[in-house]
Amino acid sequence: MSTFAASHLSPSYPDRAAWGTAPKLRAWQQEAFDLYFRREPRDFLTVATPGAGKTTYALRIASELLANGVIRAITIVTPTEHLKRQWADAAGKVGINIDPEFKNSQGATSRDYIGVAVTYAQVAMHPALHRARTEARKTLIIFDEVHHAGDAKSWGDGIREAFEPATRRLQLTGTPFRSDDSPIPFVEYAEDAEGFKRSVSDYSYGYGPALDDGVVRPVIFLAYSGEMKWRTRAGDEIAATLGTPLTKDQLSQAWRAALDPKGDWIRQVMQAADRRLTEVRRGVPDAGGLVIATDHEAARAYARHLRNISGEGATVVLSDDPGASKKIKQFAVSEDRWLIAVRMVSEGVDIPRLCVGVYATSTSTPLFFAQAVGRFVRARKRGEMASVFLPSVPTLMGLANEMEVERDHILNKRPPEDGLDDSLLQDANRKKDNPDVLGDELPFETMETSATFDRVLFDGGEFGTGAEVGSAEEEDFIGLPGLLEPDQVATLLRKRQSDQQAAKTKKAETAAPALAPHEQMAELRRELNGLVGAWNHRTGQPHGVIHNDLRRACGGPPIAQATAEQIQERIDKIRAWATQRR
């Protein structure tokens, strides 16, 4: 095999390459490749954001090791069956024949293959078999999404037993690590300043640098609030406004009501998302959309909504569907508008033409959210951007505002409060036949739901002043061009927000009758307190701390003694905070 067998592999293979990258490696891939061969390590951990091109990078290393005689065989370990085939397809294009159908019962594969693709679960079921295969020939092990290697103690032990004798091990991951204390096999840990053991990557390439390099798309999040009304089993009727401060139980119930296919909220949000997709397709003709659904029943109902909205049927991919991989591949090369997947984000839904998403699931762990958003970030050409529609839920808003946060796996730490829990992720991706029951709540009946455009989140800033669905104000953001550079996105969002605020001010000035001074003061206080509440949800800071920070920034007495001018100054200040990077 030629030393450069993989040199003609596009950096985002098996999908279309990003602008200006083929046939050469992207800068980060070349840098990581060069570092690998300078060190000649037995173990090497590469952390690269979803969509960066980890498959191309790993296969280029494999080609070089094969050409140099360092290895004679390859084993690729993946989280899912679909990814086994995806890796085999990619490897086959560069002359590396991988068997994705290898089963433990076979014991060996055909001599036509230079290696196999297996799942973590498959290895854990028969580690001795895979150890014998690893010992038989000098073998490179490629761990795809290596954090899955610690999903259970038996898995970790099995992976360690099977691949301890490997000649080389290349670990890859694109999402934050685990929250439990199960060490990931073959990953190095070092003690940090607080005495905790933290995973150490050999090369890291985060979303921020990838965005700067044009390797991934900028992502805007369009958040929707709204009025929810439901009836409990006891017959009580409860109403709440999504996007306002709610108790944990109220929030979970309002969120569930919003996602209920029988209500108007999800239908209105999907209608807005379809309008956004139409706008994006003006510049990206084959752009597609993905709805991430909670369960099978909801997915089928969402498909009916989308047929009524767009006039086209949607491809529905269910986690227990034996034809799921085939449907995904067919959608990837088509120009169909919509795909609906039930918790499939870690199971190979990797379609670069996906530009619009609807986050219609009740799962909110950082791992799941990162994997979900990762479906939309792969760039193919300069200027493409992605749009993700989501409910105005504090946890989701916080995750959207922290797209560039990079996390490591930490051992011996206190119980997590940020949801970095792979057991939750595993639950999120298992087969779902029935709707979720959030917490210990009793089943309830959704009565009425309606959506309201809340705001846009981008690059750590928040834009928009709220608007009715279908209004000109909402259209300002839904109608953003589908081809924009990151700095152009920020500039345009700031302008649209400024225009909205100016229009509202002008409308208020011409409205009659004018408010009495005490009414005007009460209105300003309500507005400020509402903004402080929103900032509390975003940052976790207590309301009193936020008010004190505003007083320090703007001067003046406590709100009860402040003048209208002083309160307005604080309102302007907290709005400015919301549009700046955190």
Side-chain angles (χ1 to χ4, degrees):
M1 177 176 294
S2 168
T3 301
F4 297 103
S7 62
H8 298 295
L9 180 64
S10 99
S12 56
Y13 189 84
D15 306 302
R16 182 176 169 190
W19 67 278
T21 57
K24 295 182 180 179
L25 290 177
R26 292 170 175 160
W28 84 264
Q29 293 168 326
Q30 188 66 56
E31 187 176 51
F33 177 90
D34 293 343
L35 179 63
Y36 182 91
F37 284 100
R38 280 201 304 272
R39 292 184 180 177
E40 294 286 346
R42 187 180 184 195
D43 289 293
F44 195 88
L45 172 60
T46 302
V47 179
T49 190
K54 292 186 291 295
T55 300
T56 297
Y57 156 75
L59 290 175
R60 185 67 176 271
I61 286 178
S63 294
E64 192 82 2
L65 293 174
L66 285 167
N68 293 340
V70 177
I71 61 168
R72 298 296 182 191
I74 299 170
T75 297
I76 301 169
V77 192
T78 75
T80 67
E81 293 290 328
H82 178 80
L83 285 175
K84 292 196 310 182
R85 299 180 186 94
Q86 185 168 292
W87 272 92
D89 289 346
K93 292 292 185 179
V94 294
I96 300 176
N97 293 336
I98 297 294
D99 180 6
E101 306 299 334
F102 175 81
K103 294 178 174 56
N104 289 348
S105 57
Q106 293 175 222
T109 189
S110 166
R111 287 185 297 176
D112 290 338
Y113 296 109
I114 203 164
V116 300
V118 295
T119 64
Y120 288 100
Q122 185 177 348
V123 173
M125 289 173 64
H126 202 335
L129 165 67
H130 295 278
R131 183 183 183 95
R133 295 190 69 260
T134 303
E135 289 175 329
R137 291 192 293 174
K138 294 187 292 184
T139 303
L140 165 68
I141 312 297
I142 298 175
F143 294 104
D144 186 24
E145 303 298 347
V146 69
H147 54 274
H148 284 279
D151 273 354
K153 188 177 187 301
S154 60
W155 282 29
D157 291 344
I159 296 297
R160 191 173 286 103
E161 178 185 349
F163 301 124
E164 190 281 328
T167 302
R168 294 287 178 91
R169 292 179 290 255
L170 179 62
Q171 297 101 331
L172 309 171
T173 186
T175 52
F177 279 144
R178 330 174 46 78
S179 66
D180 60 23
D181 281 344
S182 298
I184 302 169
F186 313 120
V187 168
E188 179 185 351
Y189 292 85
E191 192 170 291
D192 64 16
E194 298 180 349
F196 301 124
K197 290 186 176 180
R198 185 181 294 270
S199 61
V200 179
S201 60
D202 295 285
Y203 188 88
S204 182
Y205 186 64
Y207 175 79
L211 185 63
D212 292 339
D213 292 345
V215 169
V216 295
R217 297 174 180 141
V219 181
I220 64 169
F221 296 92
L222 296 98
Y224 281 73
S225 54
E227 300 296 325
M228 310 296 149
K229 188 176 181 180
W230 62 91
R231 180 185 291 117
T232 67
R233 174 178 286 179
D236 297 328
E237 294 185 5
I238 301 174
T241 302
L242 197 65
T244 62
L246 299 172
T247 66
K248 184 177 181 180
D249 287 344
Q250 288 173 333
L251 177 61
S252 68
Q253 293 167 351
W255 189 353
R256 182 179 172 187
L259 301 182
D260 191 332
K262 295 190 294 292
D264 285 338
W265 188 93
I266 188 64
R267 180 184 58 78
Q268 291 171 329
V269 170
M270 287 196 293
Q271 198 166 35
D274 190 70
R275 296 204 312 273
R276 176 67 189 147
L277 181 59
T278 296
E279 181 60 44
V280 172
R281 284 167 79 106
R282 298 183 195 280
V284 187
D286 67 339
L290 168 65
V291 179
I292 300 171
T294 296
D295 57 73
H296 293 190
E297 181 183 333
R300 295 186 180 99
Y302 293 164
R304 291 191 291 271
H305 282 324
L306 283 173
R307 177 177 287 278
N308 292 333
I309 291 167
S310 68
E312 297 181 18
T315 299
V316 179
V317 178
L318 306 178
S319 52
D320 62 343
D321 182 354
S325 292
K326 184 178 180 180
K327 286 183 178 180
I328 291 169
K329 291 181 72 172
Q330 288 175 340
F331 183 85
V333 298
S334 74
E335 293 191 0
D336 295 345
R337 291 177 74 87
W338 284 102
L339 174 72
I340 303 174
V342 178
R343 311 296 190 99
M344 291 285 288
V345 292
S346 69
E347 299 184 39
V349 181
D350 194 7
I351 305 165
R353 71 184 189 89
L354 289 177
C355 293
V356 177
V358 179
Y359 195 88
T361 172
S362 55
T363 302
S364 58
T365 69
L367 278 170
F368 189 91
F369 188 84
Q371 289 185 339
V373 175
R375 301 316 98 202
F376 306 97
V377 300
R378 186 187 296 277
R380 300 178 300 173
K381 65 179 181 180
R382 192 84 192 191
E384 287 184 346
M385 77 172 184
S387 309
V388 177
F389 290 70
L390 74 171
S392 290
V393 173
T395 303
L396 299 182
M397 305 287 271
L399 293 172
N401 271 314
E402 295 173 356
M403 274 283 289
E404 297 182 24
V405 173
E406 296 177 20
R407 298 179 174 93
D408 298 314
H409 182 209
I410 306 172
L411 299 181
N412 306 319
K413 64 181 181 302
R414 292 177 291 275
E417 297 180 358
D418 60 359
L420 284 173
D421 190 340
D422 270 61
S423 65
L424 297 178
L425 181 65
Q426 185 178 8
D427 174 73
N429 286 302
R430 73 179 190 276
K431 173 182 172 182
K432 287 283 185 178
D433 295 309
N434 301 308
D436 283 353
V437 176
L438 299 176
D440 296 322
E441 64 181 330
L442 293 172
F444 67 87
E445 176 189 1
T446 301
M447 297 177 65
E448 298 176 21
T449 66
S450 62
T452 304
F453 174 73
D454 187 3
R455 70 193 95 163
V456 167
L457 298 92
F458 175 72
D459 199 25
E462 299 182 3
F463 307 86
T465 57
E468 294 300 315
V469 170
S471 66
E473 290 84 358
E474 180 201 32
E475 204 62 38
D476 279 346
F477 295 101
I478 289 180
L480 289 170
L483 292 172
L484 288 174
E485 296 291 329
D487 57 338
Q488 293 174 322
V489 176
T491 299
L492 196 51
L493 287 173
R494 281 193 292 267
K495 183 179 186 305
R496 300 247 162 129
Q497 172 159 289
S498 176
D499 291 345
Q500 281 191 2
Q501 289 174 336
K504 284 193 173 185
T505 300
K506 183 177 181 180
K507 184 177 180 181
E509 289 174 350
T510 58
L515 293 175
H518 69 91
E519 292 176 318
Q520 181 186 16
M521 185 70 76
E523 186 65 29
L524 286 170
R525 287 172 180 167
R526 276 194 295 271
E527 183 177 1
L528 178 58
N529 286 329
L531 291 169
V532 167
W535 193 252
N536 160 261
H537 280 301
R538 175 174 170 178
T539 65
Q541 291 179 298
H543 288 229
V545 172
I546 300 169
H547 278 292
N548 287 336
D549 287 346
L550 287 168
R551 284 184 62 195
R552 277 193 291 272
C554 302
I559 187 171
Q561 289 84 45
T563 66
E565 184 179 352
Q566 290 169 329
I567 296 175
Q568 184 62 56
E569 186 178 0
R570 295 174 198 182
I571 289 172
D572 295 340
K573 175 60 69 174
I574 197 168
R575 285 193 182 281
W577 289 350
T579 60
Q580 296 169 355
R581 286 179 57 89
R582 293 181 60 185

